[in-house]
Amino acid sequence: MSSSSTLRPTRKAQLTSSGLGTHFVSPRKARDKRKTQTFVELLGARAKRHRLLAEMEELMKPQCKEPNLQVTSPQASHNDTAEHIQCTDDATALSFNDVDTVEGPSLNIPAIDTPVKRRIVPDRSTTSLYSNWSTLIPALITPLLRYFGRTQGKALENILPVISACAGMPSCTLKRTTLICLFFDRFVSIDVLSCKCSTLPQVLVHHGLFPTAPSQPRMAVSVDLLAFYRALFERSCDAINALASALKSHYSRRGFHMTDTEVRFNRVLKGQLIQDPFRRGLGYAVQWFDILQIQVERQLETIVQQSRNRVADFQTSLHDNNLPPSTLYPSRCAQLLVQRCPACFGGVLHGRPTNEGGDIHIAMDGNFHHRHHRAAGDCPPFYDPIYFVPKHFVDDIGRRIDAQRKQPPKPHTPIVPDEAVDQCETAYEAADGKKQKAAMDNFDDTGIMALICRHDIPVFFANIDSPGEQQKYSVALLQHLFSLLPPEATVVALYDVGCVLARSLTKWACQLVYNPRMCLGLGLSDGEGTERLWSRFVRLIGVERTSSRQRRLWLIDRQAAAIGSDMRDDLGDWIKRRLRRGIGEQGSAAQDLLERCGIPVNELKTEWSHQRHSQLSIRTHAPARLKKELDTVLVLQADLDASDRALQTTRAMLEKDSPSGDTLEALESLERGHDRLMNKVEALYSSLNVHQRFPELQGVNLDFVHTLLMARDLKINVRKRAIASFFEWDKLDRAVGGAQQALGTKLHQHTRKAIAKRQPALMTAIRKFNSYCERLEYLYNPTWGIPLPAPLPTKLTELRSDSRLMEDVWITPSIGEVPRWLEDSHVRDGIRALLKRDRCEEEQIRLSIEADNLCCFFGDEFAALELALCLPERGLISLF
């Protein structure tokens, strides 16, 4: 009768335990021992075990066996099967064990998937491989030049079955090596005889073949095939995989197949097709052949540069006493810049003032599409970029900028009001150096910034490795440029937010000063050449993200060199096109418009001067500082008006009944408190000193001022949205018209969806702005003298051609009569035509200077080349 064994009648009376309670498991069921403890041997398990042990023992042996490559071709070669190549520790050899083969049924051994961590930094073998290549490249320069000298302007040489370049020295012992050689139309096995005086790579290059490994290569590629790919790369992008696949398909269709005859796991695999036999070897050959070409070009450039220096010294001594009197200073830019763009940097006189356009026009911009995935890793450095500013230089500029920002600002008189610059800084992403434009967790390099001349030729790049478009990149590019210019040279830099950069070192007020179409001396330079440059780099974006960091810089740098070379050769045609289309067509149209408006040029210049002075005035932008304060006052005013209406409603309800004296006294107390609050709000508004700080707003209704400021800010927002929509439509129109690369279905749909998504917000903002215009017209008093803003059309096609979109809302009273430039459309059209005509005249002067620079450059180059051919050290040039 133990109470513990008695069941509790209710749930509350049951025993409980803390936590999760008692853990119960199902009881084990007895099993038949004959089934569970009898050992059964699986069929074939012992044979499989012995086979695996034998394979492991074979793999553990010190020697290794390489595959015999069998070349199957329509015509039998002198040696159809390559000799058995001994195993080596050289990591550069093209191992055919790493490629896929078409084999028969494999062993029924389950594969074990083990996660392998991707290597993102170069290991010892990779470093050794790149070091061997770097050591080999200088020894191949002379053989390559000799080959080019033999084949330049001639048909390609036929490669013999056995090749050698031995000079016949008695001490030489020939060594025979068999390689697979790739040509345009076939691949064949060739025996290469190397010795002490001519190493294996030198013999190959001497006969127009480039090895795929620095030592003991198994494959070589035709130099002419690599040169063709290099030319193709300059017109497209890096495509090693495409080249390898295309060669394999081309060879197969012509009856050449790469097969494997390896003994693997005691099985002879004869005639198995190799799926990807060329990719790795071609990748090494393309990369290091380009490095060899660069070494050749730099050595030739060094020899020619010595001749250029002699020619320049001779010309300086000849013209020192014959220079005409001028306010400019005789000086030269660094030869590096002259070779980039002789039209911009080839001049010999510098010091033109900036109000005359300066000596040199450049443009800068950043692009955050050229990123690099952190997981793609890096390789050892193998190339010294000639366009990229060094990272340590950029970082040093960033540290100096940070140190200067901690100092008290220097007093200066801004050309553009700070209020206008502040709005540019907040409205444009390029001005926000802290805005993260790429996920730094996934990308280690987030973009590039370019500095180009006015002919769109790339001059320098800076690699962006920070979240935003920080000012250190543009400042570093400018400082690096100035280090190569004479101290007297003047430069005009065009940047999308140049006003923000100028204040640290596009509102209409900023456009008045920084727009190239409104600046004296800039001609037709528009600063948009970087966008045209990015369109030529678009094909590299996908390749850059998955390449190593060093290879990414190499790809961009080599593409920039190819683009710059083509554009430099096209400078003469560029000047002719600008004379015909720019000065001829635009200048004539501007002159016709000036004649149609019927207003004298002197009056237009006077009106333009008044417009600049009015719109750059601090009074035009200072009320923006009041907006926040006025908003606070108006919010309090609205709350007090609502409470006053509530009090009046309460009094009306109480008066219908017979309230007690205490109720009426409490209500009167609330009304007295409300009146005191109203008086405090009026005092608060008076403390803003709106009429004292801005006497021109004296007597203007507060509601009108607030609505006017709201309309002003809303129109800025409408203009920003409308211009962005215009750019998107232009992108679609140019792609449809064939002027640019086709967008593709995905990007086209994405652009259309983006336009459809943003258009309702733009239409809503326009309708809201038009309602403000109606409200202002209702509140308007003509005695205030403030011009009213005009409503905007709600159709995008009409809005695009409407000049009122670019006009700011006038927020200060007009003293006296309304200016003609504000109310007369003919005056505004005449001012625009006048500015266009002046820019065309300035452009004509600058084009004549650039044409002279080009003529001088080509004359100097011809003289330097003739002198280099006559010098004793011309041996390297004579080989070419």
Side-chain angles (χ1 to χ4, degrees):
M1 297 180 61
S2 174
S3 60
S4 61
S5 61
T6 305
L7 295 176
R8 283 6 183 222
T10 62
R11 180 179 180 183
K12 188 178 293 186
Q14 299 292 325
L15 295 176
T16 60
S17 60
S18 61
L20 297 176
T22 306
H23 178 66
F24 293 96
V25 296
S26 300
R28 289 183 175 273
K29 184 177 180 180
R31 303 281 184 177
D32 189 355
K33 293 183 178 181
R34 291 178 300 176
K35 297 180 179 180
T36 58
Q37 297 183 4
T38 301
F39 291 96
V40 179
E41 184 175 355
L42 298 178
L43 295 177
R46 181 176 300 179
K48 183 184 296 185
R49 181 173 179 272
H50 289 311
R51 187 167 59 252
L52 291 175
L53 290 176
E55 293 174 2
M56 183 177 295
E57 183 179 358
E58 185 71 19
L59 293 174
M60 296 297 292
K61 289 182 179 181
Q63 74 275 8
C64 61
K65 298 181 180 180
E66 294 291 344
N68 292 329
L69 300 180
Q70 183 177 354
V71 183
T72 305
S73 60
Q75 298 176 356
S77 176
H78 75 287
N79 187 6
D80 288 344
T81 305
E83 293 184 357
H84 203 72
I85 303 174
Q86 296 295 326
C87 180
T88 177
D89 292 336
D90 186 6
T92 65
L94 179 63
S95 176
F96 288 91
N97 290 328
D98 298 333
V99 300
D100 299 331
T101 58
V102 180
E103 302 178 357
S106 60
L107 299 176
N108 296 324
I109 303 176
I112 302 176
D113 296 332
T114 57
V116 180
K117 188 175 182 180
R118 186 186 181 97
R119 175 174 56 83
I120 62 175
V121 294
D123 55 8
R124 182 179 301 177
S125 61
T126 306
T127 304
S128 175
L129 166 64
Y130 278 65
S131 177
N132 293 338
W133 272 114
S134 301
T135 305
L136 173 64
I137 291 300
L140 303 180
I141 294 177
T142 301
L144 181 65
L145 287 175
R146 287 175 178 169
Y147 175 76
F148 284 159
R150 295 196 314 268
T151 59
Q152 192 73 18
K154 302 176 183 177
L156 298 181
E157 299 177 347
N158 292 324
I159 303 297
L160 299 176
V162 181
I163 59 175
S164 175
C166 181
M169 298 179 62
S171 60
C172 289
T173 302
L174 297 180
K175 179 183 177 181
R176 180 183 295 268
T177 307
T178 303
L179 290 87
I180 303 297
C181 300
L182 309 183
F183 298 94
F184 280 100
D185 57 344
R186 69 195 186 284
F187 63 85
V188 295
S189 295
I190 293 179
D191 290 340
V192 183
L193 303 180
S194 58
C195 59
K196 291 183 178 179
C197 65
S198 296
T199 62
L200 177 61
Q202 289 176 335
V203 175
L204 290 172
V205 174
H206 178 80
H207 289 276
L209 297 168
F210 193 83
T212 58
S215 60
Q216 299 186 6
R218 298 170 183 164
M219 184 181 294
V221 187
S222 170
V223 166
D224 302 287
L225 178 59
L226 295 176
F228 174 78
Y229 175 79
R230 188 187 187 197
L232 184 64
F233 161 76
E234 293 173 353
R235 297 297 183 273
S236 56
C237 67
D238 190 39
I240 297 296
N241 293 335
L243 176 63
S245 300
L247 282 177
K248 182 178 181 296
S249 300
H250 179 59
Y251 292 155
S252 299
R253 292 167 184 171
R254 301 197 72 250
F256 294 87
H257 303 278
M258 184 73 73
T259 59
D260 192 355
T261 58
E262 181 188 2
V263 179
R264 183 183 300 176
F265 301 150
N266 297 326
R267 299 176 60 195
V268 179
L269 306 177
K270 293 184 178 180
Q272 303 297 325
L273 291 178
I274 300 177
Q275 294 289 359
D276 195 3
F278 308 127
R279 182 186 56 82
R280 182 182 298 182
L282 279 175
Y284 284 133
V286 166
Q287 176 176 331
W288 292 102
F289 178 74
D290 186 74
I291 300 299
L292 176 59
Q293 290 276 64
I294 294 170
Q295 294 290 338
V296 172
E297 293 170 359
R298 290 181 179 177
Q299 289 200 16
L300 292 174
E301 181 67 21
T302 302
I303 296 175
V304 176
Q305 184 58 42
Q306 296 174 0
S307 301
R308 293 195 191 106
N309 295 337
R310 295 185 182 185
V311 172
D313 295 339
F314 176 76
Q315 290 178 345
T316 302
S317 62
L318 186 64
H319 298 298
D320 278 343
N321 299 326
N322 298 328
L323 288 176
S326 174
T327 57
L328 304 180
Y329 300 91
S331 55
R332 291 178 179 269
C333 300
Q335 193 59 225
L336 173 66
L337 297 177
V338 177
Q339 293 297 320
R340 298 279 166 87
C341 181
C344 289
F345 304 104
V348 295
L349 296 176
H350 296 90
R352 295 177 182 82
T354 54
N355 58 3
E356 296 180 6
D359 297 317
I360 300 164
H361 295 173
I362 63 167
M364 297 179 296
D365 190 25
N367 188 304
F368 286 86
H369 293 285
H370 295 268
R371 310 171 189 170
H372 178 259
H373 278 292
R374 189 183 300 273
D378 200 0
C379 67
F382 66 95
Y383 173 72
D384 185 18
I386 59 177
Y387 281 88
F388 278 89
V389 177
K391 173 178 169 54
H392 63 83
F393 181 80
V394 177
D395 293 340
D396 182 63
I397 294 294
R399 288 189 290 268
R400 289 167 55 186
I401 291 176
D402 294 337
Q404 288 296 323
R405 285 175 175 172
K406 296 178 182 178
Q407 302 294 329
K410 296 180 180 180
H412 71 288
T413 303
I415 303 177
V416 178
D418 287 337
E419 287 74 12
V421 180
D422 290 338
Q423 294 189 15
C424 278
E425 191 169 8
T426 56
Y428 289 89
E429 292 186 0
D432 189 358
K434 298 180 181 179
K435 181 178 179 61
Q436 182 168 335
K437 300 182 181 180
M440 295 301 294
D441 295 338
N442 300 327
F443 301 97
D444 45 14
D445 294 326
T446 57
I448 54 177
M449 175 167 280
L451 184 148
I452 65 173
C453 71
R454 82 184 210 102
H455 306 95
D456 304 345
I457 298 177
V459 181
F460 295 117
F461 289 94
N463 185 41
I464 300 178
D465 54 4
S466 61
E469 191 171 332
Q470 298 180 4
Q471 293 181 0
K472 67 178 182 180
Y473 300 105
S474 54
V475 175
L477 289 173
L478 286 174
Q479 182 161 339
H480 187 61
L481 174 67
F482 276 103
S483 67
L484 301 174
L485 294 176
E488 303 85 9
T490 55
V491 178
V492 176
L494 302 175
Y495 190 35
D496 48 6
V497 281
C499 53
V500 180
L501 181 62
R503 184 173 69 173
S504 302
L505 256 130
T506 316
K507 278 210 35 95
W508 177 250
C510 295
Q511 297 294 319
L512 288 174
V513 176
Y514 295 100
N515 190 333
R517 291 294 179 266
M518 301 180 183
C519 292
L520 294 176
L522 291 190
L524 298 180
S525 299
D526 56 4
E528 296 298 327
T530 50
E531 301 300 330
R532 295 185 283 271
L533 177 66
W534 298 139
S535 67
R536 304 187 68 167
F537 275 90
V538 68
R539 297 180 181 88
L540 287 177
I541 293 176
V543 181
E544 294 171 21
R545 298 191 179 183
T546 55
S547 301
S548 64
R549 296 185 75 180
Q550 295 293 329
R551 187 178 177 87
R552 167 180 171 269
L553 297 180
W554 169 67
L555 290 173
I556 299 174
D557 202 79
R558 298 304 297 155
Q559 191 74 13
I563 293 173
S565 177
D566 288 345
M567 300 184 73
R568 185 186 65 178
D569 296 340
D570 190 54
L571 281 174
D573 292 334
W574 188 94
I575 292 177
K576 290 194 297 184
R577 289 194 300 270
R578 184 59 65 94
L579 283 171
R580 183 178 68 254
R581 300 178 184 176
I583 298 176
E585 297 177 2
Q586 298 184 31
S588 301
Q591 185 62 37
D592 294 341
L593 185 57
L594 277 175
E595 295 175 355
R596 287 199 303 270
C597 73
I599 302 174
V601 173
N602 292 333
E603 292 185 15
L604 293 176
K605 291 182 178 180
T606 302
E607 292 295 329
W608 170 237
S609 177
H610 292 166
Q611 181 181 0
R612 282 174 58 92
H613 181 268
S614 299
Q615 295 187 328
L616 288 176
S617 172
I618 189 66
R619 292 295 180 189
T620 308
H621 303 277
R625 301 196 302 259
L626 259 60
K627 182 178 180 300
K628 185 175 181 180
E629 300 170 349
L630 288 175
D631 285 343
T632 304
V633 174
L634 290 175
V635 168
L636 290 175
Q637 182 88 37
D639 292 341
L640 290 176
D641 290 342
S643 61
D644 180 64
R645 289 192 297 269
L647 288 174
Q648 296 300 329
T649 302
T650 303
R651 174 176 288 277
M653 293 178 60
L654 292 176
E655 287 178 351
K656 292 181 180 180
D657 301 330
S658 54
S660 62
D662 295 338
T663 302
L664 293 176
E665 183 179 357
L667 184 60
E668 292 175 356
S669 176
L670 290 175
E671 291 176 345
R672 288 193 299 269
H674 179 267
D675 292 339
R676 286 194 298 270
L677 289 177
M678 291 291 292
N679 294 332
K680 290 181 179 180
V681 170
E682 292 294 334
L684 179 61
Y685 174 70
S686 300
S687 67
L688 296 180
N689 296 325
V690 175
H691 298 131
Q692 182 178 355
R693 291 192 292 176
F694 304 98
E696 62 269 20
L697 297 179
Q698 181 72 34
V700 179
N701 182 270
L702 180 61
D703 191 11
F704 182 86
V705 173
H706 179 259
T707 306
L708 192 65
L709 292 176
M710 293 291 291
R712 171 180 173 271
D713 292 342
L714 185 59
K715 188 168 186 179
I716 294 173
N717 184 274
V718 169
R719 184 161 55 223
K720 178 182 176 182
R721 291 176 180 271
I723 293 175
S725 181
F726 297 157
F727 283 157
E728 290 173 337
W729 279 112
D730 285 343
K731 192 173 184 180
L732 292 178
D733 294 341
R734 287 195 297 265
V736 171
Q740 288 188 352
Q741 183 183 8
L743 297 181
T745 303
K746 184 175 180 181
L747 186 56
H748 184 275
Q749 293 178 351
H750 179 75
T751 306
R752 293 295 299 265
K753 289 180 180 179
I755 294 175
K757 182 179 179 181
R758 297 188 181 101
Q759 188 170 358
L762 175 61
M763 294 296 102
T764 301
I766 293 176
R767 287 191 291 268
K768 185 69 174 177
F769 174 77
N770 292 342
S771 66
Y772 284 154
C773 294
E774 296 176 359
R775 176 67 178 171
L776 290 172
E777 186 177 3
Y778 173 75
L779 299 173
Y780 182 65
N781 187 343
T783 60
W784 294 338
I786 300 179
L788 291 177
L792 296 173
T794 55
K795 294 183 178 180
L796 289 181
T797 54
E798 299 177 2
L799 180 66
R800 185 170 186 171
S801 58
D802 196 330
S803 60
R804 293 174 296 179
L805 177 64
M806 303 305 298
E807 298 175 0
D808 284 335
V809 176
W810 195 260
I811 55 177
T812 55
S814 169
I815 301 175
E817 297 181 358
V818 178
R820 294 183 63 190
W821 58 265
L822 186 62
E823 67 172 359
D824 192 345
S825 60
H826 295 288
V827 173
R828 292 196 296 270
D829 294 340
I831 290 176
R832 285 193 291 268
L834 175 65
L835 294 176
K836 175 65 72 173
R837 191 200 67 175
D838 292 345
R839 299 295 85 78
C840 290
E841 293 176 353
E842 296 164 357
E843 181 71 12
Q844 187 171 7
I845 297 174
R846 183 161 294 276
L847 289 178
S848 65
I849 297 174
E850 293 175 348
D852 293 340
N853 293 343
L854 273 180
C855 293
C856 294
F857 166 76
F858 286 117
D860 295 344
E861 285 295 293
F862 288 145
L865 287 175
E866 290 181 358
L867 179 60
L869 290 173
C870 297
L871 293 177
E873 55 269 21
R874 70 171 192 146
L876 187 63
I877 299 180
S878 62
L879 292 176
F880 188 64

